[in-house]
Amino acid sequence: VQLQASGGGLVQAGGSLRLSCAASGRTASNLGIAWFRQAPGKEREFVAVHRGSGGGTSYGGSVRGRFTISRDNAKNTVALQMNSLNPEDTAVYFCAGKSGRFALSYYWSSENYDYWGQGTQVTVSS
C-alpha cells in the first residue's frame, strides 16, 4: 500500500486548505486512514481519522470543529478540510494507514499505523 499526501501550502490566518491522501494497493479500501501533524521541535500530533468501511471518525482536540475528514471510496482518497486556520496549525501533515478495524481511540497513536505517506507542509501566516 502506498499513500500520497497533497494539498499543503501557505495560507493566511482564518483561511482554509484542503489536504488529500490518495491510497493505492490491493487493500487500500480497507484501511483506516488518519492525519497527523508535526511542527518543528514538537511531537507528532493526531489530527483526525476515518476508520474506513463502516465509517467512524475522530478528531484531535485542537482541531475539532474546524477540520473535517471525509472519504471517497471510489477514488480511494481521504480528504482533510481545514477551516479557520491559525498559525498554531503550521506543521508538516502526514497521512497514515492502518489495516483492520479497531476502536477509534486505537487510531490516536502514531505507533499503531502500518503505512505512512510523505508529509505536506502547511504554513499559516498571522
Side-chain angles (χ1 to χ4, degrees):
V1 174
Q2 290 186 326
L3 302 177
Q4 180 78 29
S6 62
L10 174 64
V11 64
Q12 288 188 334
S16 298
L17 277 176
R18 186 176 180 87
L19 304 183
S20 181
C21 179
S24 61
R26 187 175 61 181
T27 61
S29 61
N30 298 324
L31 292 177
I33 293 182
W35 289 94
F36 287 81
R37 66 187 183 184
Q38 189 163 19
K42 295 187 177 181
E43 293 186 353
R44 192 163 293 190
E45 176 188 12
F46 170 77
V47 175
V49 64
H50 193 295
R51 192 161 49 179
S53 59
T57 60
S58 180
Y59 295 89
S62 62
V63 307
R64 192 174 297 120
R66 300 187 296 125
F67 292 10
T68 302
I69 192 169
S70 61
R71 189 175 193 122
D72 185 333
N73 287 325
K75 297 181 179 179
N76 268 346
T77 59
V78 171
L80 183 69
Q81 179 66 41
M82 306 185 295
N83 298 329
S84 301
L85 287 162
N86 59 63
E88 289 69 38
D89 295 315
T90 295
V92 178
Y93 284 69
F94 300 88
C95 60
K98 175 63 182 176
S99 300
R101 183 174 174 84
F102 303 89
L104 284 171
S105 59
Y106 181 87
Y107 296 96
W108 298 345
S109 173
S110 61
E111 297 180 354
N112 294 336
Y113 287 82
D114 302 319
Y115 311 102
W116 287 87
Q118 89 293 356
T120 185
Q121 177 71 46
V122 172
T123 303
V124 184
S125 62
S126 57

